[in-house]
Amino acid sequence: MTTLRIAMNGVTGRMGYRQHLVRSILPIRDQGGVTLPDGSRVQVEPVLVGRNADKLKELAALHDVEHWTTDLDTAVAEADIVFDAAMTNLRAATLTKAMLQGKHVFTEKPTAETLAEAIELARLQAETGVTVGVVHDKLYLPGLVKLRRLVDEGFFGRILSLRGEFGYWVFEGDSQPAQRPSWNYRAEDGGGITTDMFCHWNYVLEGILGQVKTVTARTVTHIPTRWDEQGREYAATADDAAYGIFDITTPGGDDVVAQINSSWAVRVFRDELVEFQVDGTHGSAVAGLRECRAQHRSHTPKPVWNPDLPVTEPFRDQWLDVPANADLDNGFKLQWEEFLRDVVAGRPHRYDLLSAARGVQLAELGLRSSAEGRRIDIPEITL
Ligand SMILES: NC(=O)c1ccc[n+]([C@@H]2O[C@H](COP(=O)([O-])OP(=O)(O)OC[C@H]3O[C@@H](n4cnc5c(N)ncnc54)[C@H](O)[C@@H]3O)[C@@H](O)[C@H]2O)c1
């Protein structure tokens, strides 16, 4: 059986540990690897990489992982695949190092802090021919898989619009510790909700509807002071909310208007932490991470505006659950398995550094739109 050695950088962090090590690579290892089309299997061998030897040693013992190191260069040199979930501002250097040595790469988003860097990485992928996967986890989640199925089945008729709500209250860190890392709120450390989330929204919009053509955004720092992991007060220099409008063109040539609110300064009155509503001439659907509910044209009530009367319709009850009809595993794990099959087959992964560069581009142009107070056209990236 082939075994792929994976150098996992930033594995002590939130995403690296919870989603990639504990929910993806370890379950893949423990299930005996990934089954290939010919029935054979490929196994994974993680190497934990980071700066803190004590933490790495502890994680390795806890999860029965044989290899760990604080020496990133040696780990890259000895790996088949290099994985990165360290801080965003360190990513481009790590990925460049890996690809120049012919290593396959699987990485968290965003791939770079600037579009120029992200394009350079995509160029390097094309030049070296290595297989690169960039996390597009939302597209593998049950809610969005169901939403995409409705699009494929023509459920919506002509799609008119998408509305997305994302976010929750992130504590400032004084009276209660913050539930996200403090660097996320410092622009100088690569933080900011626009940089963080617009790269997700780009592949979600592409994956569900089509190409994003324009962006209009208003980005804000609602909470200017926060407290870090050591309880020290700091200036939150990065944006913590982004209100975006996007023009989309579907593969069939229809124009769709999408609006997505992203905020770390909002309280949740929704069923899930992110929800997308798609409205079309023949039906509508609301999808979260797991659930998806739909309403067909023939089930659509006819509300009449009358503020003098109490609400007459039980609107939420008039939607039907869209079933999964399949056992949908963790989204990160599903993408890892697809990526590992692509590596063994020697073919590109469908969500690569070019798709990721379009995500970085959307974030960069979103920030520019807000700074300049105008709608911005999104040019096509050519390598
Ligand atoms: N796909 C998603 O839904 C999603 C969600 C959140 C974050 N992310 C991305 O994952 C990445 C990590 O985010 P996180 O929330 O896990 O952050 P985190 O702060 O919890 O983890 C960052 C990791 O980088 C390491 N690190 C910090 N400075 C370093 C240095 N100088 N050298 C080497 N390692 C260093 C830390 O020790 C830690 O292991 C970010 O790029 C972020 O954009 C993705």
Side-chain angles (χ1 to χ4, degrees), residues 12-15 51 85 88 90-91 108-109 137-138 183:
T12 55
R14 225 166 44 107
M15 295 308 293
R51 295 165 303 164
T88 305
L90 307 169
R91 177 151 307 130
E108 262 299 346
K109 46 50 64 179
D137 55 294
K138 309 287 178 278
W183 67 265

